[in-house]
Amino acid sequence: MKILSIQSAVAYGHVGNSAAVFPLQRIGVEVLPVYTVTFSNHTGYGAWRGPLISPEDVAAVITGIEERGVFPAIDVVLSGYQGGAGIGDVIIDAVARIKAANPAAIYSCDPVMGNAKSGCFVAPEIPVLLRERVVPVADIITPNQFELGYLTGTEPDSLESTLASVDLARAMGPSTVLVTSVERPDRAEGTIEMLVVDDRGAWILQTPLLPMKANGSGDVTAALFTAHYARTGDAADALARTASSVFDLLTRTHESGERELQLVESQEAYAHPRMQFTARQVR
């Protein structure tokens, strides 16, 4: 499998492609990383150095890949945080060209906009771009519960309302929706859930909620789920494998006391997930 991953990169720590590429490689995926920024560290520190890469330069890198004759062999396009509308245009164009070269290729979009605690933290034009132009051309989207509501103009909280919001999102274009950070009022205390819906049904999976914030964990989740699902078409299995891997990654990170994901140290969790969680069908 080959995945073209268009995301940010940092030298220190693990977010964007710096979080997604290594776990994908450890499960046997050939990754073609295209960078949208090259920063010293993620912006959560409040200070960073390094350049934004212009949409024109990002497009030039993708064109160079096309000129090597690689597009027919690309199975998946993966994108994450989009810093500006220009990058969105580049991604949409790349998806169209890759699908023209390989009609079986899919596009997986992580529509990064914010979270329930921080609110929306992207430029005002980004949610509009995602809702009106990017999500409609995606096959898979991986929003958190807050982002799902932002995309669909709803306030999902219960299982029923979250499923209804997912149906609205699927009506926009993507056939598969993975919702992360699902927090239902009636869930067991100290837990958090993920929900996936595709044409075959809907499944929910619950894990313990760890008392930590880990930048980049969503990027790992989107990457692993996309790869597992693209390989098998089995949403429940892809969800279980992803949750198992990411929970062990987060557990190791929490136990280390470090701020950054212990991405390399947790590599066996990607290659050989323990499968300690089971997805339950809810529809």
Side-chain angles (χ1 to χ4, degrees), residues 76-88:
V76 178
V77 180
L78 174 65
S79 71
Y81 171 74
Q82 298 183 21
I87 294 296

Side-chain angles (χ1 to χ4, degrees), residues 3 51 80 98 100 108 114 118 124 145 162 181 190 196 216 225 229 251 265 275 277 280-281 283:
I3 294 182
I98 288 168
S108 179
S118 304
Q145 192 175 31
T162 303
S181 300
V196 64
F225 175 81
Y229 185 71
T251 298
E265 294 84 349
M275 303 301 288
F277 305 110
R280 173 173 63 91
Q281 189 161 11
R283 194 169 71 185

Side-chain angles (χ1 to χ4, degrees), residues 74-135:
I74 292 175
D75 303 290
V76 178
V77 180
L78 174 65
S79 71
Y81 171 74
Q82 298 183 21
I87 294 296
D89 291 334
V90 171
I91 294 169
I92 292 168
D93 178 65
V95 168
R97 285 153 58 192
I98 288 168
K99 287 193 170 190
N102 177 13
I106 62 173
Y107 170 38
S108 179
C109 170
D110 186 7
V112 178
M113 290 181 283
N115 56 60
K117 292 182 180 178
S118 304
C120 189
F121 52 61
V122 298
E125 67 270 17
I126 297 302
V128 178
L129 169 74
L130 289 168
R131 184 169 54 246
E132 296 183 358
R133 300 188 55 214
V134 179
V135 168

Side-chain angles (χ1 to χ4, degrees), residues 71-250:
F71 275 13
I74 292 175
D75 303 290
V76 178
V77 180
L78 174 65
S79 71
Y81 171 74
Q82 298 183 21
I87 294 296
D89 291 334
V90 171
I91 294 169
I92 292 168
D93 178 65
V95 168
R97 285 153 58 192
I98 288 168
K99 287 193 170 190
N102 177 13
I106 62 173
Y107 170 38
S108 179
C109 170
D110 186 7
V112 178
M113 290 181 283
N115 56 60
K117 292 182 180 178
S118 304
C120 189
F121 52 61
V122 298
E125 67 270 17
I126 297 302
V128 178
L129 169 74
L130 289 168
R131 184 169 54 246
E132 296 183 358
R133 300 188 55 214
V134 179
V135 168
V137 302
D139 300 288
I140 301 170
I141 59 171
T142 60
N144 61 38
Q145 192 175 31
F146 170 85
E147 291 162 341
L148 174 66
Y150 218 84
L151 281 174
T152 58
T154 60
E155 295 184 4
D157 53 5
S158 67
L159 177 59
E160 292 73 20
S161 63
T162 303
L163 285 167
S165 297
V166 168
D167 289 341
L168 291 173
R170 294 182 73 228
M172 297 165 67
S175 59
T176 303
V177 178
L178 171 69
V179 189
T180 63
S181 300
V182 175
E183 299 186 67
R184 295 184 291 147
D186 58 343
R187 75 191 188 279
E189 186 176 354
T191 65
I192 195 164
E193 295 169 317
M194 290 196 286
L195 172 73
V196 64
V197 182
D198 69 0
D199 291 338
R200 298 182 180 183
W203 294 265
I204 197 164
L205 184 148
Q206 188 175 89
T207 70
L209 174 62
L210 296 170
M212 62 179 295
K213 176 185 177 182
N215 294 88
S217 58
D219 302 320
V220 177
T221 300
L224 288 176
F225 175 81
T226 296
H228 289 311
Y229 185 71
R231 275 178 168 163
T232 68
D234 186 330
D237 180 72
L239 177 58
R241 290 182 180 277
T242 300
S244 176
S245 297
V246 174
F247 181 77
D248 282 353
L249 164 64
L250 292 177

Side-chain angles (χ1 to χ4, degrees), residues 14-15 18-20 22-24 210 212-224 241-271 273-274 276-277:
H14 303 288
V15 299
S18 301
F22 180 65
L24 288 172
L210 296 170
M212 62 179 295
K213 176 185 177 182
N215 294 88
S217 58
D219 302 320
V220 177
T221 300
L224 288 176
R241 290 182 180 277
T242 300
S244 176
S245 297
V246 174
F247 181 77
D248 282 353
L249 164 64
L250 292 177
T251 298
R252 182 180 286 270
T253 300
H254 179 57
E255 291 173 349
S256 75
E258 297 290 333
R259 177 170 178 171
E260 295 292 342
L261 290 175
Q262 300 299 287
L263 196 79
V264 175
E265 294 84 349
S266 304
Q267 60 184 284
E268 284 302 304
Y270 327 133
R274 293 190 294 136
Q276 68 267 45
F277 305 110

